Every structure is written in structure tokens, then in C-alpha cells.
Amino acid sequence: MDFELWWLIIVPVLFGLGWLAARFDFRQMLSETRVLPDSYFKGLNFLLNEQPDRAIDAFVEVAKLDPETTELHFALGSLFRRRGEIERAIRVHQSLLSRGDLPLPDRENAQLALAQDFLKAGMLDRAEQGFLAVLQTRHALEALRALVRIHESEHDWDKAIDAVQQLRGRTDEPIPQLAHYHCERAQALLEAKTPDFDAAAQALDAAENAARQNGATPASETRVRMLRARWAALRGDLESQRAQLQDVLSTAPEFAGLVAQSLLECYTALGRADEGLSLLQDQHARLPTLDLFNVVFRALRATQGAGPAWTFARQALRAHPSLLGLDRLLEVELGQGAESLPGQSLVPSADLGLLRSMIHKHTQRLDRYACEQCGFEARRYYWQCPGCNTWETYRPRRLEEIR
């Protein structure tokens, strides 16, 4: 009987305590809700109604009323940056960093966000300083990736290589453009007033190693061979230059047009011009390109005369019709005086100028290389697109050939 009486007493007590606790939590929730400014709820309402501009204005008002709303400041800064209002984003993140009571994790977040603001604004020096400031934090990987982009855009290849090496020390993700960084460095060393052959050779060795580690591509391998050929040419080693350029024909035949002129000049300097021209003709027969066509036709016209040159051109254009090829052919003929070739010329010589003028208007827009990433067009071949800064997005073919 005592045991049952004890339970009759404790059950109402527990029920009463629970009721008091619930009432206290509810009052606390109402109190906290009253503390929030009306602007906060207005901002939420604007966001729900897809009115971001008015939502931002409302949240800015909240931030003014309550400077302690750290997360709201971060959200505002991110919104400003995405909308392109970089100055406002910078002010938001600088105001956070100016607070002496900001916890260390939030301070690191603010420093990273500010560096991203400067990067978006194109203030690369200040962005670099900001990312360097968080290298020893949990944001190290993101900072290193940003530093790689900064150094690349500034063409500071030594710093870009160093940043990639630091990145590779923290993650095993491939960095395919590293080979091109070394190639850019080698090219600069070779183009200096006094070429540094030893340093250039080391840079090319590093480029080959980087290509192997990150998965060599035909473009990266071809570029290394072309630079080794340039290195050999500057040192007067014509045989080594010839070997490097000829390797391109066998390993990456799609790039033959980029090396054809240099290869022909090398064979000519070696006293083997006919052999070099024959090699390029065979290459054109296997894989014709407009650039290769242009080199072969000009060489035939200069060394063997108009007859063999026009015979080659007629066969090539019949097999692969091309307005751009015809335009280049007529350009050479007009430069040579358009001598009459009875029974061989495609049109009477008197009409060559008119025909070329008509064709040239239509071929100017086709005589370009195009980036497959962003569509940026250029008259010269680029290893890195000047438009979107992506590597290896140009095919070694003119627009007319890929459309």
C-alpha cells in the first residue's frame, strides 16, 4: 500500500515539472523571436517571393541593427560578390576582420572571403596576399588553387610551379597544365637576348616529367619537341632539330602543320631540301591540313615552278575542296606575277585578282583557330586560350576544316 501511495504523489509532481519546463521554453522562444528585427522577416519574405534586391536591402538593415550577426554578414558578402557588387562585398568582409572579438574560425573565413573578393575584382596583388594569409589554415587547398590561377594569369611561371608543387604535396589530384608551365619557362629562357641553354634544357626535362606524371597529351608532347627543336636550332645543331620536328610527324601527325615550315627550312639548311619537301608531300597525302597545304604549295612554287605547284594544288583541292586553300593558292600566284600557264591554270590569269578578292572576303573568318571551350578565335595557334585561359583547347586546324 505504501508503494502505491508513493507513485500517486510522484506522478503529479513530474507532470507539473514538465508543464513548467514547456512553458519556460515557449516563453523563451517568444522572447527571442521578439528580439529579431522586423527587417529579418521582411528579408526572408522577399527571398521566398524571389525578390533578391529587396531581400539584400532588408538584411543590410538587420546587419546595421545587430553587428553581431556574423553568419548574416558572410551571406551578404557572398551575395554581393555573386552579383558583381565587389566593393560592397569587400566592405562587409573588412568590417568582420576589424572586429576584435571575432572567433578564429570566423576570422579565417573572413580572410578567405576577402581574398576571393579581391580576386573577383582583378586586384591580384591583394588577392595573393589574402590567400597567402590562410595557407596555414584549413583553407590551404582552396588558397593554393587560387594562387595557381593568379600566378598563371600574371605569367609568373616560377611561382605557379611552386604553388603546384605545394598543392601536389597536399593532394594527389593531377595538374595537367604543369607541363605547359615548364614549357613557358623554357620558351622565355630561349627567347631572352642571351639564351640560357642549360636552364632551358632543365625546364624541358621537368616538362616531360610533369607530362608523364599527369598523363601526357599529344599537345604537351608536341610542344616539348618543338621547344627542343628550337633549343637545337639556336645551338646550330640542325640534325637534332630535324629529328625532333620529324618525330612530331610520326607521333602527333595532326600537328604537322605547325612544324612544317620549320622542318622544311631545316632540311634546306642541311642541303636536303628535296627530301624535306617530299616528306611533307607524303604527310599531306596521309593527313591533309590547310597549313600543310600552304607550306607544300609555296615550296613547290618556289623550287619547281608553277607547273608542279598547280598540279599539286589541283589534286589537293579536288580531293578536299577548300575556299581557304584556293585563296592561299591565288595569293601566291598574284605575288609571283600570275604567269600564264596554258592548259594548266585554273582560271585565266587576268581574272586571278578579281577571283581572289571575291574569295578572300569569305575566307577571312575561316582562316582562324578556335577554342573548343569558349569559341575564342585567333589567327595564330595558342596552347592556352586567351579568352578563357584553358589549356589545350585549340585544335591545330583552321575553322573551315572543323566545320
Side-chain angles (χ1 to χ4, degrees), residues 7-38:
W7 274 99
L8 289 174
I9 296 172
I10 197 171
V11 169
V13 171
L14 291 175
F15 177 80
L17 290 174
W19 181 82
L20 288 172
R23 187 175 178 81
F24 177 77
D25 288 341
F26 184 70
R27 286 180 176 177
Q28 184 178 13
M29 182 182 68
L30 288 175
S31 176
E32 290 176 352
T33 302
R34 292 192 188 100
V35 171
L36 290 173
D38 291 339

Side-chain angles (χ1 to χ4, degrees), residues 374-393:
C374 69
F376 187 90
E377 298 177 7
R379 290 192 177 277
R380 55 164 290 192
Y381 182 85
Y382 286 99
W383 302 103
Q384 181 189 26
C385 175
C388 62
N389 295 323
T390 310
W391 294 91
E392 300 185 13
T393 54

Side-chain angles (χ1 to χ4, degrees), residues 198-254:
D198 292 338
Q202 293 174 4
L204 291 173
D205 290 341
E208 283 190 342
N209 291 332
R212 282 195 297 267
Q213 293 172 5
N214 293 278
T217 63
S220 61
E221 291 181 334
T222 297
R223 191 178 189 190
V224 171
R225 286 192 174 93
M226 290 175 66
L227 286 170
R228 287 199 184 279
R230 178 63 177 162
W231 185 90
L234 290 173
R235 292 175 64 91
D237 189 351
L238 296 177
E239 187 57 39
S240 293
Q241 180 192 12
R242 182 204 62 78
Q244 291 290 342
L245 294 176
Q246 195 163 333
D247 278 348
V248 174
L249 301 188
S250 57
T251 60
E254 65 271 24

